[in-house]
């Protein structure tokens, strides 16, 4: 099967002909950075369009229809608008922290984005502790949100940031615990190994009942971590105007917006990589012809369709449930999801030992 | 035990709610693509678009110029200007409608005038494109030129 590292090695060899070693390393980093930035921005545009359309369909509307056929250029127009807007100077903010907060949020989500395996060999870096890396780097975003709320010198932003901090830190627990189920199952933290192991059966079916529970818990807590849907307390517009990013304007707000959408994508991508087989096509043991046909569909399409299913699920829940209250939110985590995932780990242990 | 029962019940409620939303997802969409489907938009007969006075083919209307609509209108939108006309049969003077002035700019489309008219002389039509360039053209004369009262109340 086609391996993407062949292409990457070709580029590397080509560069080595003309440049010295350290120079090649620098150019490699530069190319990867540019690639990630462009992909990140384009993906955000696609996601914004998809979200607006799906939301509209859930509300019996048509969504954007004017700019281009079926409104596909609407996010581009929005992006141009947000780039041209003025960045307002606000009195009394801590300018350094105010600016730093945006970069923390966007860097956290971009670093997570880099580690997702998109195809065989198509990832920026394949850590041997990839799952751990995901968990640790995505929690840096909380610092950015807290800083944004605190540095803005506004009571709404500080309330929003505190809520967000409480929410993200508590949901990180059940999120991590449910990913541990997969680590127990596959015995590895390396993402490429985890994906390769799902050649015949996806993890969600391989691990039986414990992984199905873990998948649901992960979807709920991952959804809560993206600050959207029924868990959008940090930016509850009826109570806190816009929560932690009330004081941001222009492109600064655009970064928060971008990070929010990409976090949705990243959570869906992790869910599909660890539970639904990542870029691995659907294989069934014994059906060789079927497997052959499935292999002809490019893996990246498999990955993106799985991610789309997860995102659709998140939006579906978002338009079904009303917003939770802060005590209900914490109760859901500490009294329901946490015990379930703790018991689930024990369950998984027995499942692995005796079944 | 109660705790677990609560969880199960709430999951069932969540599934029920998601079923309702997915039905809406596949439902026919209500948005009107206005300038494109200009002919077909707003087909509802009860829609209050424009106030019109009914005229039959002989250019006759049913308004007796009683002024009830003018009195009832909460915004002073309607103005009825009458004239005296000599009746050929009795030879006496009779008050008839000269101009029925209606100001779209101050109408709230509450429909009090049409429900209170004893003759059902004014009704609603569904046309809604009232945008014009000149404010004075918001004042409309609802009775047509040289129209007269219907004889014997027949249409
Ligand atoms: S609809 Fe209401 S506001 Fe308009 S003319 Fe009739 S009574 Fe007056
Ligand atoms: S429209 Fe009806 S209520 Fe108004 S003056 Fe004419 S007959 Fe009377």
């Amino acid at each position: 099967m086609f391996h993407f590292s062949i292409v990457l090695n070709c580029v590397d060899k080509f560069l080595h002909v003309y440049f010295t070693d350290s120079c090649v390393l620098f150019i490699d980093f530069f190319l990867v950075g540019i690639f990630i930035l462009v992909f990140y921005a384009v993906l955000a545009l696609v996601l914004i369009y998809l979200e607006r359309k799906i939301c509209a369909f859930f509300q019996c509307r048509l969504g954007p229809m004017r700019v281009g056929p079926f409104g596909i250029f609407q996010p581009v127009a929005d992006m141009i608008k947000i780039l041209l807007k003025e960045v307002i100077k606000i009195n009394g903010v801590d300018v350094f922290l105010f600016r730093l907060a945006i970069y923390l949020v966007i860097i956290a989500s971009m670093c997570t984005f880099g580690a997702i395996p998109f195809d065989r060999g198509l990832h920026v870096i394949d850590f041997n502790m990839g799952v751990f890396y995901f968990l640790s780097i995505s929690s840096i975003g909380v610092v950015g949100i807290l800083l944004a709320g605190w540095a803005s010198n506004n009571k709404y932003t500080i309330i929003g940031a505190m809520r967000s901090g409480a929410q993200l830190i508590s949901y990180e627990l059940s999120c991590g615990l449910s990913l541990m189920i997969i680590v127990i199952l596959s015995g590895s933290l390396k993402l490429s190994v985890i994906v390769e192991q799902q050649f015949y059966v996806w993890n969600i079916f391989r691990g039986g009942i414990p992984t199905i529970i873990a998948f649901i818990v992960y979807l709920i807590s991952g959804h809560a971590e993206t600050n959207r849907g029924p868990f959008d307390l940090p930016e509850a517009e009826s109570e806190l105007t816009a929560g932690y990013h009330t004081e941001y304007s222009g492109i600064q707000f655009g970064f928060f917006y971008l990070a929010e959408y990409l976090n949705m994508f990243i959570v869906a991508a992790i869910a599909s990589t660890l539970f639904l087989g990542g870029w691995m096509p659907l294989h069934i043991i014994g059906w060789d012809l079927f497997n052959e046909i499935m292999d002809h569909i490019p893996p990246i399409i498999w990955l993106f369709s799985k991610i789309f299913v997860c995102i659709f699920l998140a939006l579906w829940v978002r338009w079904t449930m009303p917003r939770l209250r802060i005590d209900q939110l914490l109760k859901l985590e500490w009294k329901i999801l946490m015990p379930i995932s703790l018991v689930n780990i024990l369950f998984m242990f027995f499942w692995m030992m005796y079944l | 035990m109660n705790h677990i029962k609560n969880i199960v019940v709430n999951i069932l409620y969540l599934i029920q709610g998601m079923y309702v939303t997915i039905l809406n997802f596949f439902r026919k969409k209500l948005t009107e693509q206005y300038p494109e489907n200009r002919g077909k938009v707003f087909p509802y007969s009860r829609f209050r678009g424009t106030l019109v006075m009914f005229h039959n083919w002989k250019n006759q209307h049913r308004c007796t110029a009683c002024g009830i609509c003018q009195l009832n209108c909460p915004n002073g939108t309607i103005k009825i200007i009458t004239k005296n006309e000599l009746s050929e049969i009795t030879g006496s003077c009779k008050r008839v409608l000269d101009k029925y002035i209606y100001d779209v700019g101050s109408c709230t489309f509450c429909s009090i005038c049409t429900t209170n008219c004893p003759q059902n002389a004014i009704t609603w039509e569904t046309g809604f494109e009232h945008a014009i360039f000149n404010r004075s053209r918001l004042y409309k004369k609802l009775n047509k030129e040289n129209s007269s009262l219907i004889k014997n109340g027949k249409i």
Side-chain angles (χ1 to χ4, degrees):
Chain A
M1 240 192 284
F2 184 68
H3 203 293
F4 248 94
S5 53
I6 299 169
V7 182
L8 301 182
N9 284 340
C10 273
V11 173
D12 202 45
K13 277 209 191 91
F14 175 75
L15 288 174
H16 267 293
V17 177
Y18 297 100
F19 301 101
T20 57
D21 272 3
S22 53
C23 212
V24 167
L25 199 64
F26 181 74
I27 292 173
D28 277 352
F29 283 163
F30 186 73
L31 285 180
V32 167
I34 292 284
F35 176 77
I36 286 192
L37 266 177
V38 170
F39 194 41
Y40 193 84
V42 170
L43 208 59
L45 293 184
V46 175
L47 279 176
I48 290 171
Y49 177 73
L50 270 183
E51 213 233 349
R52 291 184 64 172
K53 273 287 182 198
I54 291 173
C55 293
F57 270 59
F58 273 121
Q59 297 171 343
C60 265
R61 297 183 285 117
L62 286 176
M65 286 295 277
R66 292 288 163 208
V67 192
F70 296 99
I72 49 171
F73 297 124
Q74 184 69 52
V76 181
D78 285 350
M79 188 189 69
I80 292 170
K81 189 197 83 173
I82 220 164
L83 283 175
L84 295 178
K85 276 203 164 181
E86 186 194 354
V87 176
I88 301 167
K89 282 206 176 66
I90 297 152
N91 290 336
V93 299
D94 186 331
V95 179
F96 176 67
L97 293 183
F98 191 71
R99 300 258 168 86
L100 182 69
I102 318 161
Y103 297 111
L104 280 180
V105 170
I106 201 107
I107 284 173
S109 82
M110 214 173 267
C111 285
T112 332
F113 187 69
I116 298 167
F118 286 103
D119 200 338
R120 190 175 261 106
L122 186 67
H123 37 55
V124 177
I125 189 158
D126 190 18
F127 285 116
N128 52 6
M129 39 104 203
V131 179
F132 184 60
Y133 172 78
F134 270 145
L135 286 172
S136 51
I137 205 85
S138 65
S139 48
I140 288 183
V142 189
V143 181
I145 288 173
L146 283 174
L147 275 187
W150 197 8
S152 303
N153 191 22
N154 178 328
K155 55 181 178 292
Y156 295 124
T157 55
I158 189 79
I159 296 172
M162 283 301 150
R163 281 185 182 183
S164 178
Q167 176 180 336
L168 293 191
I169 289 168
S170 34
Y171 276 87
E172 207 111 279
L173 280 173
S174 54
C175 201
L177 286 176
S178 53
L179 293 188
M180 281 310 117
I181 300 283
I182 295 301
V183 176
I184 294 172
L185 180 68
S186 52
S188 170
L189 284 164
K190 198 171 179 178
L191 288 168
S192 57
V193 173
I194 292 177
V195 175
E196 288 290 350
Q197 277 181 351
Q198 308 181 54
F199 188 81
Y200 275 124
V201 197
W202 296 350
N203 269 344
I204 186 169
F205 304 122
R206 203 154 65 101
I209 302 164
T211 38
I212 292 174
I213 296 173
F215 182 60
I216 294 168
V217 170
Y218 180 75
L219 277 187
I220 296 171
S221 51
H223 190 187
E225 278 202 50
T226 55
N227 286 343
R228 331 190 79 247
F231 308 105
D232 59 348
L233 285 150
E235 45 205 83
E237 59 268 25
S238 48
E239 307 151 27
L240 302 177
T241 51
Y244 58 87
H245 54 62
T246 308
E247 299 288 4
Y248 287 87
S249 53
I251 188 62
Q252 297 181 331
F253 169 73
F255 275 154
F256 276 118
Y257 199 57
L258 207 68
E260 188 187 317
Y261 275 91
L262 261 295
N263 281 340
M264 182 170 79
F265 177 84
I266 287 163
V267 164
I270 296 175
S272 45
T273 304
L274 294 184
F275 292 93
L276 302 178
W279 44 261
M280 194 59 84
L282 178 66
H283 290 142
I284 294 171
I285 304 166
W287 296 17
D288 286 335
L289 187 69
F290 179 78
N291 295 348
E292 195 89 339
I293 295 168
M294 286 297 152
D295 281 340
H296 281 294
I297 303 173
I300 200 144
I301 289 180
W302 276 103
L303 180 68
F304 273 88
S305 48
K306 284 167 193 172
I307 289 173
F308 177 75
V309 169
C310 291
I311 289 178
F312 183 80
L313 220 70
L315 289 175
W316 187 1
V317 172
R318 179 184 175 183
W319 292 109
T320 307
M321 303 297 284
R323 186 182 298 136
L324 299 176
R325 227 169 37 220
I326 186 77
D327 62 316
Q328 291 169 335
L329 181 93
L330 294 179
K331 192 182 151 200
L332 175 69
E333 162 62 21
W334 291 102
K335 287 195 176 168
I336 298 174
L337 293 183
M338 250 279 275
I340 285 181
S341 32
L342 280 176
V343 172
N344 202 19
I345 285 190
L346 280 181
F347 189 25
M348 186 69 205
F349 173 70
F350 285 114
W351 188 279
M352 293 290 285
M353 292 292 278
Y354 300 110
L355 289 173
Chain B
M1 216 55 231
N2 218 6
H3 194 60
I4 295 169
K5 198 182 136 203
N6 257 341
I7 295 173
V8 173
V9 168
N10 283 323
I11 288 174
L12 287 182
Y13 281 147
L14 178 64
I15 291 170
Q16 193 186 7
M18 286 172 80
Y19 172 69
V20 173
T21 36
I22 201 71
L23 286 187
N24 272 307
F25 187 81
F26 290 114
R27 223 171 81 185
K28 194 172 163 290
K29 302 295 167 257
L30 296 173
T31 314
E32 299 282 1
Q33 296 282 300
Y34 166 56
E36 283 89 20
N37 64 356
R38 197 169 172 175
K40 290 178 286 179
V41 75
F42 286 126
Y44 322 109
S45 59
R46 66 170 198 276
F47 182 75
R48 297 170 191 170
T50 337
L51 191 69
V52 290
M53 183 173 279
F54 175 79
H55 284 75
N56 67 1
W57 57 276
K58 283 193 278 186
N59 202 11
Q60 290 173 324
H61 56 75
R62 283 189 291 213
C63 175
T64 56
C66 64
I68 289 175
C69 53
Q70 184 181 354
L71 283 173
N72 274 306
C73 178
N75 305 317
T77 303
I78 297 169
K79 194 167 223 156
I80 288 162
I81 298 167
T82 56
K83 62 181 178 195
N84 287 333
E85 206 171 57
L86 206 62
S87 165
E88 306 119 30
I89 308 159
T90 56
S92 58
C93 262
K94 197 183 166 198
R95 206 174 67 125
V96 292
L97 184 70
D98 182 22
K99 281 180 191 148
Y100 190 103
I101 308 292
Y102 163 69
D103 175 17
V104 193
S106 68
C107 179
T108 53
F109 302 91
C110 63
S111 200
I112 293 177
C113 51
T114 56
T115 45
N116 281 313
C117 174
Q119 314 291 337
N120 284 336
I122 43 178
T123 45
W124 291 108
E125 259 183 12
T126 52
F128 58 91
E129 291 162 327
H130 293 304
I132 44 171
F133 288 105
N134 195 334
R135 196 156 149 206
S136 65
R137 282 166 67 187
L138 285 171
Y139 292 91
K140 288 183 184 169
K141 192 171 142 242
L142 291 194
N143 58 328
K144 287 181 187 160
E145 215 52 55
N146 297 325
S147 57
S148 58
L149 188 62
I150 288 176
K151 298 280 147 42
N152 310 327
K154 290 220 185 76
I155 294 170

